[in-house]
Amino acid sequence: MINGLGMLAAAPLVVCVASATTSITVDELIERPDLLPTEVTALREFRFGGGDTIAEGATMRVVSLDAAGLTVDTGRFLFVCKPEETDLVSKADAYVSTLSEAQRELTPGAVLEDSTLWPTSVALANGMEFTNGARVEPGTELPLRAVKGAQLEVYSSSVGSVLAVAVEDTDLVRRARELVETPTEERRPHFSRAVEATLSDGGPADLSTAEFILLYRGSAACPRCSRFSPKLKKAYGKLKKDHDNFEVVFLSEDRSVADFNAHMRDKSYPFAVVEYDKLYAAADARTREGRLMPIVYLVRPDGSVIDHTDVNGRRQAEDVLKTLERELKKSS
């Protein structure tokens, strides 16, 4: 039969479930969904109207847990069951037992406030469907671009769009628990790590020592970019002789991958270049405000802006380059 949520409801079946001593309760798991296991095993057979059954021992994906029950995905349909009809609590106990004190205490709210704990990608706990028929399957790993309030901004190359997803619909906190074990002084802001993960081979691909990052967006078809690129290459070579605490990152505005490849062959940039198919995965570097190319931002490793070209053209790319030179002198 179908319940009010449009999901299958199991027909009553009397079962005996062995009691066990546990260190976590269902109520605690409702309050801490970040401690839920990703999958559970059925401890009994479920029978539904129409002849559908779920065998005892079947593995089911956890969707959510609340006072109404545990919602699981069988791969064919969703249904709500009692938590004790699965090994939910024992699986949660097993997971919690592997965590350090710092990992256990880490909450979604704490993760959202500290970008050094954001992973560069997250996996979706639940699938997403779109009106054009496109679908992103559960378990799909997507680059994490940014956190906007309580929402994560991710990018799907298959959908070709930036998507907003809720924290609880991803494994953000689980991945953050791996990062929280890193000593605080060794952690790096998400922005520089996210950009670094998109850099192409054959050039600088390490932003770990960069105190300053110059983001340069341009295209081969832009005359102003053609005039600025030689100046930037010359300045880069000169500045690198005395300073190793900065990097330049190029983000293409070329119209196609063929144009991008031709651009790279022609210019032979000595600095870092974001791969063409990863432009929207490089945090929000490619989508920052700008109308007139070249669009140039001087930022810190956390993405905070020091200087940038003006949307009305009042501050030119050369002005931002001069700001970089001044900042490097001050940091010496």
Side-chain angles (χ1 to χ4, degrees), residues 223-256:
R224 290 178 297 275
C225 298
S226 295
R227 291 193 292 271
F228 176 65
S229 291
K231 297 177 184 177
L232 180 58
K233 288 171 66 175
K234 182 177 180 180
Y236 179 84
K238 180 180 178 181
L239 292 171
K240 274 295 182 181
K241 292 178 180 178
D242 300 314
H243 307 279
D244 61 0
N245 60 337
F246 83 99
E247 190 52 70
V248 173
V249 176
F250 176 76
L251 298 107
S252 173
E253 292 282 347
D254 295 298
R255 294 184 178 181
S256 69

Side-chain angles (χ1 to χ4, degrees), residues 281-299:
D284 63 351
R286 178 61 153 65
T287 54
R288 294 191 175 208
E289 187 177 35
R291 296 178 184 172
L292 188 66
M293 289 190 289
I295 300 166
V296 181
Y297 275 76
L298 178 61
V299 302

